[in-house]
Amino acid sequence: MSYSPYLLKGQKALVTGASSGIGEAIARYLALSGAAVAINYHSEAESAQKLVDDIKAANGEAFTIQADVSKEDEIKAMFSQTLEQFGTIDILVNNAGLQKDSPFVDMTLEQWNRVIEVNLTGQFLCAREAAKEFLRRGVQPHISSAAGKIICISSVHQVIPWAGHVNYAASKGGINMMMQSIAQELAPHKIRVNSIAPGAIKTPINKSAWDTPEAEAKLLKLIPAKRVGDVEDIAKAAVWLASDDSDYVYGTTLFVDGGMTLYPDFIENG
Ligand code: BGC
């Protein structure tokens, strides 16, 4: 991979939910771009450790840190430990998320609450701790022109309603307004807060939607680009949003979805 180890040189990053899928790829690409990366995981200690080993084998810097993003005390402890290890933090990737799908009338309060507390409250808790450190430290011009960067991993479902996934779509819609409001509040401090909204990306979360030829053909009807996304598609966007190359980008959502949000049903229709 032709990633420049100078793009994020000297920067410290924390990626939540980095033991698999999109989070793992983002952590790898941030490390390839020169950042030291704290690899947060919830339950997959082994894969998180493997990722750290891979990053170190490529002369990068990383360590694993366990925490449930929905628990305030665990998030506070995770940030203290990261600051102790790295001295400061420049980049937060709010990635941890899950689905608990159910037809609406059968959806339990537990399914609703768990998705909201991980996907939305988890991003709030982590963004707040990161922002405190960005404000305390301010801009270090030799490191980055921003005092800090927060990247929220949202979804096309922040705009596309999703039957059978009401909790998930509501959490992602919430991420959008949360992200923009934090961005508006913190922009005067040179803290850049943005989102990436992935479409259908091949990860464990949606395996059943692409792992048979029949399922993939059905899914491709929703994607004008006629390709299911790869985690690298998202990781490359994250590196850009984390770097000074996006210095004037505040409070925006970058859709990386092969055109899923372009109403593909209207091709030759309507
Ligand atoms: C969901 C996936 C889904 C994709 C497109 C993502 O946010 O997590 O399960 O395939 O959106 O619908």
Side-chain angles (χ1 to χ4, degrees), residues 99 155-157 162 168 199-200 205-206 260:
Q99 289 182 212
S155 164
V156 288
H157 298 295
W162 205 14
Y168 184 84
I205 208 174
N206 60 357
M260 192 175 242

Side-chain angles (χ1 to χ4, degrees), residues 29-43:
Y29 271 69
L30 293 179
L32 276 174
S33 308
V37 191
I39 306 293
N40 160 258
Y41 68 97
H42 178 249
S43 34

Side-chain angles (χ1 to χ4, degrees), residues 48-124:
Q49 189 52 51
K50 165 144 194 337
L51 175 56
V52 166
D53 295 345
D54 289 354
I55 290 173
K56 286 187 171 163
N59 292 321
E61 192 184 341
F63 73 100
T64 65
I65 186 152
Q66 199 280 335
D68 177 336
V69 292
S70 70
K71 304 274 181 338
E72 187 173 28
D73 52 339
E74 293 186 27
I75 293 316
K76 288 196 162 173
M78 175 170 82
F79 274 82
S80 323
Q81 221 176 305
T82 303
L83 296 184
E84 211 168 284
Q85 186 93 10
F86 285 163
T88 188
I89 178 179
D90 307 281
I91 300 160
L92 165 68
V93 182
N94 255 337
N95 167 75
L98 44 78
Q99 289 182 212
K100 298 251 176 235
D101 309 328
S102 163
F104 177 57
V105 291
D106 300 327
M107 186 172 283
T108 63
L109 180 60
E110 208 247 315
Q111 287 171 320
W112 169 267
N113 281 342
R114 188 65 187 143
V115 169
I116 298 293
E117 74 188 12
V118 172
N119 296 11
L120 183 57
T121 308
Q123 292 210 9
F124 156 71

